[in-house]
Amino acid sequence: QVQLVESGGGLVQAGGSLRLSCAASGRTFSSYALGWFRQAPGKEREFVAGISWSGDSTNYADSVKGRFTISRDNAKNTVYLQMNSLKSEDSAVYYCAAGYRGLGYSRFMEYDYWGQGTQVTVSS
């Protein structure tokens, strides 16, 4: 079992930055791919970024490439999402997800565990 707890969401002006964190329980954190997804009101949940279990590959949605960066710290059992140049369309609830031996791709089926989410609101 892996439990995920997101933090770092909040209200920010357009053009600003936020860093989301996701702390994971469990001793096998380093064996899990980690992903960030988001869901805006009235929309389906969508992939934002992912990092492989080995940490040597990352993937991003086209809408966030060049603005968002995903990283992991296995010593702290934590994955981060650095979000820069935020836009109003980035407003959503952001979810962290973990998948055993995954590659950090956008497929929902790759992920076994999900956090409860953290709200990000970007004001224009």
Side-chain angles (χ1 to χ4, degrees):
Q1 280 280 10
V2 175
Q3 291 185 326
L4 303 169
V5 179
E6 302 95 336
S7 62
L11 175 64
V12 63
Q13 289 188 334
S17 298
L18 277 177
R19 188 177 79 157
L20 304 183
S21 300
C22 175
S25 64
R27 295 175 292 176
T28 59
F29 177 82
S30 60
S31 297
Y32 284 81
L34 299 159
W36 286 97
F37 292 74
R38 67 187 182 188
Q39 187 168 19
K43 295 187 177 181
E44 294 185 351
R45 191 172 298 190
E46 64 176 3
F47 173 78
V48 175
I51 185 166
S52 64
W53 70 272
S54 63
D56 60 1
S57 67
T58 57
N59 300 284
Y60 296 93
D62 288 342
S63 59
V64 306
K65 279 181 182 176
R67 300 188 299 123
F68 290 11
T69 303
I70 187 171
S71 61
R72 64 188 298 160
D73 185 338
N74 289 342
K76 295 183 178 180
N77 279 17
T78 301
V79 60
Y80 304 98
L81 184 68
Q82 178 67 43
M83 306 186 295
N84 299 328
S85 302
L86 283 161
K87 306 175 182 179
S88 58
E89 51 263 44
D90 294 318
S91 295
V93 177
Y94 282 71
Y95 298 90
C96 174
Y100 185 70
R101 296 287 185 177
L103 298 177
Y105 289 159
S106 61
R107 299 168 300 186
F108 285 80
M109 62 184 295
E110 181 173 337
Y111 300 92
D112 307 304
Y113 303 99
W114 294 80
Q116 294 300 306
T118 185
Q119 177 70 50
V120 172
T121 303
V122 183
S123 63
S124 56

mmCIF file of all heavy atoms in Angstrom, residues 93-122:
data_model
loop_
_atom_site.group_PDB
_atom_site.id
_atom_site.type_symbol
_atom_site.label_atom_id
_atom_site.label_comp_id
_atom_site.label_asym_id
_atom_site.label_seq_id
_atom_site.Cartn_x
_atom_site.Cartn_y
_atom_site.Cartn_z
ATOM 1 N N VAL A 93 -7.940 21.017 -9.592
ATOM 2 C CA VAL A 93 -7.452 20.205 -8.485
ATOM 3 C C VAL A 93 -6.355 19.305 -9.048
ATOM 4 O O VAL A 93 -6.563 18.635 -10.056
ATOM 5 C CB VAL A 93 -8.576 19.361 -7.863
ATOM 6 C CG1 VAL A 93 -8.016 18.454 -6.755
ATOM 7 C CG2 VAL A 93 -9.670 20.261 -7.297
ATOM 8 N N TYR A 94 -5.213 19.323 -8.410
ATOM 9 C CA TYR A 94 -4.067 18.545 -8.869
ATOM 10 C C TYR A 94 -3.914 17.299 -7.999
ATOM 11 O O TYR A 94 -3.909 17.396 -6.761
ATOM 12 C CB TYR A 94 -2.800 19.390 -8.806
ATOM 13 C CG TYR A 94 -2.698 20.359 -9.960
ATOM 14 C CD1 TYR A 94 -3.548 21.463 -10.037
ATOM 15 C CD2 TYR A 94 -1.780 20.160 -10.985
ATOM 16 C CE1 TYR A 94 -3.485 22.342 -11.106
ATOM 17 C CE2 TYR A 94 -1.693 21.035 -12.060
ATOM 18 C CZ TYR A 94 -2.553 22.124 -12.110
ATOM 19 O OH TYR A 94 -2.479 22.992 -13.173
ATOM 20 N N TYR A 95 -3.777 16.158 -8.663
ATOM 21 C CA TYR A 95 -3.673 14.876 -8.000
ATOM 22 C C TYR A 95 -2.313 14.240 -8.279
ATOM 23 O O TYR A 95 -1.819 14.276 -9.409
ATOM 24 C CB TYR A 95 -4.750 13.916 -8.490
ATOM 25 C CG TYR A 95 -6.158 14.371 -8.217
ATOM 26 C CD1 TYR A 95 -6.843 15.146 -9.141
ATOM 27 C CD2 TYR A 95 -6.797 14.020 -7.030
ATOM 28 C CE1 TYR A 95 -8.151 15.564 -8.897
ATOM 29 C CE2 TYR A 95 -8.105 14.426 -6.776
ATOM 30 C CZ TYR A 95 -8.762 15.201 -7.709
ATOM 31 O OH TYR A 95 -10.041 15.612 -7.463
ATOM 32 N N CYS A 96 -1.780 13.623 -7.264
ATOM 33 C CA CYS A 96 -0.569 12.838 -7.376
ATOM 34 C C CYS A 96 -0.965 11.368 -7.521
ATOM 35 O O CYS A 96 -1.954 10.933 -6.910
ATOM 36 C CB CYS A 96 0.264 13.059 -6.114
ATOM 37 S SG CYS A 96 1.730 12.046 -5.962
ATOM 38 N N ALA A 97 -0.191 10.610 -8.297
ATOM 39 C CA ALA A 97 -0.494 9.192 -8.494
ATOM 40 C C ALA A 97 0.805 8.398 -8.538
ATOM 41 O O ALA A 97 1.848 8.926 -8.942
ATOM 42 C CB ALA A 97 -1.274 8.995 -9.785
ATOM 43 N N ALA A 98 0.722 7.138 -8.145
ATOM 44 C CA ALA A 98 1.893 6.272 -8.126
ATOM 45 C C ALA A 98 1.585 4.941 -8.793
ATOM 46 O O ALA A 98 0.506 4.364 -8.575
ATOM 47 C CB ALA A 98 2.358 6.033 -6.687
ATOM 48 N N GLY A 99 2.532 4.451 -9.577
ATOM 49 C CA GLY A 99 2.363 3.181 -10.263
ATOM 50 C C GLY A 99 3.615 2.338 -10.153
ATOM 51 O O GLY A 99 4.707 2.830 -10.493
ATOM 52 N N TYR A 100 3.461 1.088 -9.730
ATOM 53 C CA TYR A 100 4.621 0.236 -9.502
ATOM 54 C C TYR A 100 5.375 -0.055 -10.800
ATOM 55 O O TYR A 100 4.792 -0.515 -11.785
ATOM 56 C CB TYR A 100 4.171 -1.076 -8.850
ATOM 57 C CG TYR A 100 5.307 -1.984 -8.473
ATOM 58 C CD1 TYR A 100 6.155 -1.639 -7.420
ATOM 59 C CD2 TYR A 100 5.561 -3.159 -9.172
ATOM 60 C CE1 TYR A 100 7.217 -2.456 -7.070
ATOM 61 C CE2 TYR A 100 6.611 -3.981 -8.823
ATOM 62 C CZ TYR A 100 7.439 -3.620 -7.765
ATOM 63 O OH TYR A 100 8.491 -4.423 -7.417
ATOM 64 N N ARG A 101 6.678 0.239 -10.787
ATOM 65 C CA ARG A 101 7.559 -0.003 -11.929
ATOM 66 C C ARG A 101 7.067 0.652 -13.217
ATOM 67 O O ARG A 101 7.366 0.166 -14.318
ATOM 68 C CB ARG A 101 7.727 -1.513 -12.152
ATOM 69 C CG ARG A 101 8.419 -2.229 -11.004
ATOM 70 C CD ARG A 101 9.887 -1.915 -10.956
ATOM 71 N NE ARG A 101 10.592 -2.690 -9.933
ATOM 72 C CZ ARG A 101 11.895 -2.658 -9.711
ATOM 73 N NH1 ARG A 101 12.665 -1.883 -10.458
ATOM 74 N NH2 ARG A 101 12.443 -3.384 -8.758
ATOM 75 N N GLY A 102 6.337 1.737 -13.076
ATOM 76 C CA GLY A 102 5.827 2.417 -14.257
ATOM 77 C C GLY A 102 6.861 3.335 -14.902
ATOM 78 O O GLY A 102 7.956 3.557 -14.379
ATOM 79 N N LEU A 103 6.463 3.873 -16.048
ATOM 80 C CA LEU A 103 7.376 4.725 -16.816
ATOM 81 C C LEU A 103 6.951 6.190 -16.790
ATOM 82 O O LEU A 103 7.579 7.015 -17.445
ATOM 83 C CB LEU A 103 7.452 4.220 -18.256
ATOM 84 C CG LEU A 103 8.004 2.804 -18.408
ATOM 85 C CD1 LEU A 103 7.963 2.375 -19.868
ATOM 86 C CD2 LEU A 103 9.431 2.721 -17.871
ATOM 87 N N GLY A 104 5.897 6.503 -16.038
ATOM 88 C CA GLY A 104 5.469 7.889 -15.941
ATOM 89 C C GLY A 104 4.721 8.377 -17.165
ATOM 90 O O GLY A 104 4.767 9.573 -17.490
ATOM 91 N N TYR A 105 4.035 7.465 -17.823
ATOM 92 C CA TYR A 105 3.266 7.859 -18.995
ATOM 93 C C TYR A 105 1.910 8.415 -18.594
ATOM 94 O O TYR A 105 1.557 8.465 -17.427
ATOM 95 C CB TYR A 105 3.090 6.658 -19.927
ATOM 96 C CG TYR A 105 4.349 6.226 -20.633
ATOM 97 C CD1 TYR A 105 4.477 4.942 -21.162
ATOM 98 C CD2 TYR A 105 5.423 7.101 -20.784
ATOM 99 C CE1 TYR A 105 5.631 4.546 -21.811
ATOM 100 C CE2 TYR A 105 6.583 6.706 -21.436
ATOM 101 C CZ TYR A 105 6.676 5.429 -21.944
ATOM 102 O OH TYR A 105 7.818 5.030 -22.588
ATOM 103 N N SER A 106 1.128 8.815 -19.599
ATOM 104 C CA SER A 106 -0.138 9.485 -19.337
ATOM 105 C C SER A 106 -1.300 8.530 -19.092
ATOM 106 O O SER A 106 -2.390 8.968 -18.771
ATOM 107 C CB SER A 106 -0.486 10.403 -20.514
ATOM 108 O OG SER A 106 -0.624 9.640 -21.690
ATOM 109 N N ARG A 107 -1.093 7.242 -19.275
ATOM 110 C CA ARG A 107 -2.189 6.287 -19.147
ATOM 111 C C ARG A 107 -2.618 6.118 -17.690
ATOM 112 O O ARG A 107 -1.805 5.805 -16.826
ATOM 113 C CB ARG A 107 -1.760 4.923 -19.703
ATOM 114 C CG ARG A 107 -1.397 4.944 -21.169
ATOM 115 C CD ARG A 107 -0.706 3.666 -21.579
ATOM 116 N NE ARG A 107 0.530 3.460 -20.830
ATOM 117 C CZ ARG A 107 1.380 2.488 -21.081
ATOM 118 N NH1 ARG A 107 1.127 1.622 -22.049
ATOM 119 N NH2 ARG A 107 2.492 2.365 -20.363
ATOM 120 N N PHE A 108 -3.909 6.295 -17.452
ATOM 121 C CA PHE A 108 -4.437 6.162 -16.106
ATOM 122 C C PHE A 108 -4.160 4.766 -15.549
ATOM 123 O O PHE A 108 -3.873 4.610 -14.352
ATOM 124 C CB PHE A 108 -5.953 6.404 -16.095
ATOM 125 C CG PHE A 108 -6.337 7.849 -16.220
ATOM 126 C CD1 PHE A 108 -6.332 8.473 -17.457
ATOM 127 C CD2 PHE A 108 -6.709 8.583 -15.110
ATOM 128 C CE1 PHE A 108 -6.677 9.806 -17.586
ATOM 129 C CE2 PHE A 108 -7.060 9.917 -15.229
ATOM 130 C CZ PHE A 108 -7.046 10.529 -16.466
ATOM 131 N N MET A 109 -4.212 3.760 -16.396
ATOM 132 C CA MET A 109 -4.086 2.385 -15.940
ATOM 133 C C MET A 109 -2.698 2.072 -15.402
ATOM 134 O O MET A 109 -2.481 1.055 -14.761
ATOM 135 C CB MET A 109 -4.425 1.415 -17.061
ATOM 136 C CG MET A 109 -3.522 1.502 -18.268
ATOM 137 S SD MET A 109 -4.055 0.407 -19.605
ATOM 138 C CE MET A 109 -3.821 -1.186 -18.828
ATOM 139 N N GLU A 110 -1.747 2.967 -15.668
ATOM 140 C CA GLU A 110 -0.399 2.749 -15.173
ATOM 141 C C GLU A 110 -0.295 3.014 -13.682
ATOM 142 O O GLU A 110 0.649 2.590 -13.027
ATOM 143 C CB GLU A 110 0.572 3.659 -15.929
ATOM 144 C CG GLU A 110 2.026 3.499 -15.518
ATOM 145 C CD GLU A 110 2.985 4.285 -16.399
ATOM 146 O OE1 GLU A 110 2.615 4.594 -17.537
ATOM 147 O OE2 GLU A 110 4.092 4.589 -15.929
ATOM 148 N N TYR A 111 -1.270 3.722 -13.120
ATOM 149 C CA TYR A 111 -1.170 4.192 -11.742
ATOM 150 C C TYR A 111 -2.123 3.432 -10.824
ATOM 151 O O TYR A 111 -3.297 3.261 -11.141
ATOM 152 C CB TYR A 111 -1.443 5.700 -11.695
ATOM 153 C CG TYR A 111 -0.455 6.475 -12.543
ATOM 154 C CD1 TYR A 111 -0.723 6.773 -13.875
ATOM 155 C CD2 TYR A 111 0.768 6.874 -12.008
ATOM 156 C CE1 TYR A 111 0.200 7.452 -14.660
ATOM 157 C CE2 TYR A 111 1.692 7.561 -12.782
ATOM 158 C CZ TYR A 111 1.401 7.845 -14.113
ATOM 159 O OH TYR A 111 2.321 8.517 -14.880
ATOM 160 N N ASP A 112 -1.570 3.011 -9.696
ATOM 161 C CA ASP A 112 -2.322 2.180 -8.769
ATOM 162 C C ASP A 112 -2.885 2.949 -7.584
ATOM 163 O O ASP A 112 -3.877 2.541 -6.985
ATOM 164 C CB ASP A 112 -1.413 1.069 -8.224
ATOM 165 C CG ASP A 112 -0.742 0.285 -9.330
ATOM 166 O OD1 ASP A 112 -1.470 -0.256 -10.184
ATOM 167 O OD2 ASP A 112 0.503 0.220 -9.344
ATOM 168 N N TYR A 113 -2.220 4.035 -7.228
ATOM 169 C CA TYR A 113 -2.597 4.782 -6.027
ATOM 170 C C TYR A 113 -2.736 6.257 -6.360
ATOM 171 O O TYR A 113 -1.977 6.793 -7.184
ATOM 172 C CB TYR A 113 -1.544 4.592 -4.921
ATOM 173 C CG TYR A 113 -1.318 3.157 -4.546
ATOM 174 C CD1 TYR A 113 -0.237 2.446 -5.056
ATOM 175 C CD2 TYR A 113 -2.204 2.498 -3.689
ATOM 176 C CE1 TYR A 113 -0.037 1.116 -4.724
ATOM 177 C CE2 TYR A 113 -1.997 1.170 -3.349
ATOM 178 C CZ TYR A 113 -0.929 0.489 -3.871
ATOM 179 O OH TYR A 113 -0.737 -0.824 -3.537
ATOM 180 N N TRP A 114 -3.688 6.877 -5.692
ATOM 181 C CA TRP A 114 -3.984 8.291 -5.947
ATOM 182 C C TRP A 114 -4.119 9.051 -4.630
ATOM 183 O O TRP A 114 -4.607 8.516 -3.626
ATOM 184 C CB TRP A 114 -5.298 8.419 -6.722
ATOM 185 C CG TRP A 114 -5.221 7.846 -8.091
ATOM 186 C CD1 TRP A 114 -5.309 6.526 -8.446
ATOM 187 C CD2 TRP A 114 -5.003 8.561 -9.309
ATOM 188 N NE1 TRP A 114 -5.172 6.386 -9.797
ATOM 189 C CE2 TRP A 114 -4.978 7.627 -10.357
ATOM 190 C CE3 TRP A 114 -4.831 9.914 -9.613
ATOM 191 C CZ2 TRP A 114 -4.795 7.993 -11.686
ATOM 192 C CZ3 TRP A 114 -4.650 10.273 -10.928
ATOM 193 C CH2 TRP A 114 -4.639 9.322 -11.951
ATOM 194 N N GLY A 115 -3.696 10.311 -4.667
ATOM 195 C CA GLY A 115 -3.895 11.190 -3.525
ATOM 196 C C GLY A 115 -5.262 11.843 -3.576
ATOM 197 O O GLY A 115 -6.046 11.602 -4.500
ATOM 198 N N GLN A 116 -5.535 12.679 -2.585
ATOM 199 C CA GLN A 116 -6.836 13.338 -2.472
ATOM 200 C C GLN A 116 -6.900 14.647 -3.249
ATOM 201 O O GLN A 116 -7.996 15.178 -3.465
ATOM 202 C CB GLN A 116 -7.162 13.586 -1.002
ATOM 203 C CG GLN A 116 -7.357 12.314 -0.215
ATOM 204 C CD GLN A 116 -8.495 11.477 -0.748
ATOM 205 O OE1 GLN A 116 -9.617 11.952 -0.888
ATOM 206 N NE2 GLN A 116 -8.219 10.212 -1.070
ATOM 207 N N GLY A 117 -5.775 15.172 -3.647
ATOM 208 C CA GLY A 117 -5.768 16.373 -4.470
ATOM 209 C C GLY A 117 -5.511 17.653 -3.692
ATOM 210 O O GLY A 117 -5.775 17.736 -2.489
ATOM 211 N N THR A 118 -5.008 18.643 -4.391
ATOM 212 C CA THR A 118 -4.786 19.968 -3.832
ATOM 213 C C THR A 118 -5.240 21.001 -4.874
ATOM 214 O O THR A 118 -4.979 20.848 -6.061
ATOM 215 C CB THR A 118 -3.314 20.176 -3.436
ATOM 216 O OG1 THR A 118 -3.156 21.445 -2.795
ATOM 217 C CG2 THR A 118 -2.365 20.107 -4.632
ATOM 218 N N GLN A 119 -5.925 22.027 -4.406
ATOM 219 C CA GLN A 119 -6.512 23.010 -5.309
ATOM 220 C C GLN A 119 -5.481 24.062 -5.729
ATOM 221 O O GLN A 119 -4.782 24.631 -4.885
ATOM 222 C CB GLN A 119 -7.686 23.707 -4.627
ATOM 223 C CG GLN A 119 -8.339 24.809 -5.445
ATOM 224 C CD GLN A 119 -9.111 24.261 -6.635
ATOM 225 O OE1 GLN A 119 -9.919 23.349 -6.492
ATOM 226 N NE2 GLN A 119 -8.887 24.848 -7.808
ATOM 227 N N VAL A 120 -5.432 24.317 -7.026
ATOM 228 C CA VAL A 120 -4.618 25.400 -7.569
ATOM 229 C C VAL A 120 -5.554 26.354 -8.299
ATOM 230 O O VAL A 120 -6.310 25.935 -9.175
ATOM 231 C CB VAL A 120 -3.545 24.875 -8.540
ATOM 232 C CG1 VAL A 120 -2.852 26.040 -9.247
ATOM 233 C CG2 VAL A 120 -2.529 24.024 -7.788
ATOM 234 N N THR A 121 -5.516 27.612 -7.917
ATOM 235 C CA THR A 121 -6.346 28.627 -8.554
ATOM 236 C C THR A 121 -5.457 29.745 -9.055
ATOM 237 O O THR A 121 -4.689 30.324 -8.280
ATOM 238 C CB THR A 121 -7.389 29.186 -7.582
ATOM 239 O OG1 THR A 121 -8.189 28.113 -7.076
ATOM 240 C CG2 THR A 121 -8.291 30.186 -8.295
ATOM 241 N N VAL A 122 -5.540 30.021 -10.349
ATOM 242 C CA VAL A 122 -4.736 31.071 -10.965
ATOM 243 C C VAL A 122 -5.678 32.193 -11.371
ATOM 244 O O VAL A 122 -6.585 31.995 -12.175
ATOM 245 C CB VAL A 122 -3.976 30.547 -12.189
ATOM 246 C CG1 VAL A 122 -3.085 31.651 -12.760
ATOM 247 C CG2 VAL A 122 -3.139 29.323 -11.813
#
